[in-house]
Amino acid sequence: MLLKLSGEALMGDEPYGVSRSVLERIANEIQEVAAVGAQVAVVIGGGNIFRGVAPAAEGMDRATADYMGMLATVMNALALQDALESQGLPTRVQTAIGMQQMAEPYIRRRAIRHLEKGRVVIFGAGTGNPFFTTDTAASLRAMEIGAEVVLKGTKVDGVYTEDPITNPDAMRYRRLTYMDVIAQDLKVMDATAITLCRDNRLPIVVFNCVKPEALMRVVLGEDEGTRVEGEEAKS
């Protein structure tokens, strides 16, 4: 599986950066999932540190700002690697931009081999290209390694009819089609990522990655989060 974590989810109650307690809890849940035989790859965003489209990047050249955001994802990847390995789970970080002193370059066959050996592989630096989000990187890497599902970990437990924070009566969707997401502009992932998954029939599950045991419940197929797939699967 390909687990996509938002950078913001790593902040916990902190205003910026990484909450060590949140990081350790996520690492523990990944370790539990790996222990039952799942092959786990991870893509992390960088929004807790820097985003190319954030107000802090206003006035910057977009390509430069996006490269800065890619570096932020590598910082998060290294932090997660440290948390995973402190729990005894072998981990490799691969980056789309070369930085051999701290991580391997992204090589598809090597990544697959790591997964086959039971290692968690964390993909940093997005796709290595500006103007593409880490959601798109997650969809791309998932297809390259032959993942069966993309798990989109956020701070809310699924996709809702409205913002559940401002409207307590908002209802959680249990299943949606790719076209539902695109037509209703539901902000599950960006349109490029959704289209890649749709064209390759790769299902997406959106769930709350900071909710205890949520990841395991998703992996076991329980009613957790929102599943996005093709119309034929939904029916």
Side-chain angles (χ1 to χ4, degrees):
M1 67 184 191
L2 190 295
L3 174 61
K4 168 58 170 59
L5 297 173
S6 69
E8 291 87 343
L10 301 182
M11 291 192 299
D13 295 327
E14 302 292 333
Y16 174 85
V18 176
S19 165
R20 187 66 190 182
S21 61
V22 170
L23 193 66
E24 289 176 350
R25 179 148 41 86
I26 291 173
N28 182 64
E29 297 211 2
I30 293 174
Q31 193 275 336
E32 290 177 349
V33 167
V36 299
Q39 295 180 355
V40 186
V42 184
V43 169
I44 309 183
N48 57 321
I49 300 172
F50 191 89
R51 292 171 61 89
V53 294
E58 187 175 350
M60 283 188 179
D61 175 77
R62 173 62 189 275
T64 298
D66 281 354
Y67 280 122
M68 292 173 66
M70 291 178 213
L71 295 178
T73 72
V74 177
M75 294 171 68
N76 285 337
L78 293 173
L80 180 59
Q81 179 184 41
D82 180 77
L84 288 167
E85 292 193 336
S86 70
Q87 299 192 25
L89 189 59
T91 309
R92 297 290 185 274
V93 173
Q94 293 194 344
T95 61
I97 297 174
M99 45 187 76
Q100 284 85 342
Q101 285 82 357
M102 65 184 71
E104 297 179 1
Y106 171 67
I107 299 174
R108 173 179 170 269
R109 290 181 180 272
R110 181 177 291 176
I112 292 171
R113 185 61 176 151
H114 287 321
L115 293 168
E116 291 172 344
K117 289 184 175 182
R119 299 165 181 155
V120 173
V121 181
I122 307 172
F123 299 117
T127 65
N129 300 288
F131 306 104
F132 290 92
T133 68
T134 50
D135 282 346
T136 298
S139 300
L140 178 62
R141 295 290 181 253
M143 288 180 288
E144 288 181 304
I145 65 174
E148 296 177 282
V149 64
V150 173
L151 305 183
K152 172 73 182 287
T154 67
K155 295 191 290 185
V156 294
D157 58 347
V159 183
Y160 283 77
T161 53
E162 298 179 60
D163 186 342
I165 297 175
T166 58
N167 183 3
D169 295 324
M171 301 293 292
R172 174 172 64 91
Y173 292 109
R174 284 176 168 77
R175 289 181 180 269
L176 290 165
T177 66
Y178 305 113
M179 290 309 300
D180 289 335
V181 172
I182 295 171
Q184 298 178 46
D185 194 24
L186 291 174
K187 307 298 183 184
V188 173
M189 300 173 87
D190 67 81
T192 302
I194 291 292
T195 301
L196 281 171
C197 290
R198 181 196 65 186
D199 292 348
N200 292 273
R201 299 183 180 180
L202 183 64
I204 305 162
V205 179
V206 183
F207 73 106
N208 185 343
C209 63
V210 297
K211 178 181 176 182
E213 304 300 323
L215 178 58
M216 181 62 80
R217 285 171 54 82
V218 170
V219 171
L220 294 177
E222 299 181 20
D223 182 23
E224 187 72 43
T226 301
R227 187 177 180 92
V228 181
E229 56 198 343
E231 184 66 46
E232 66 283 354
K234 184 182 178 184
S235 60

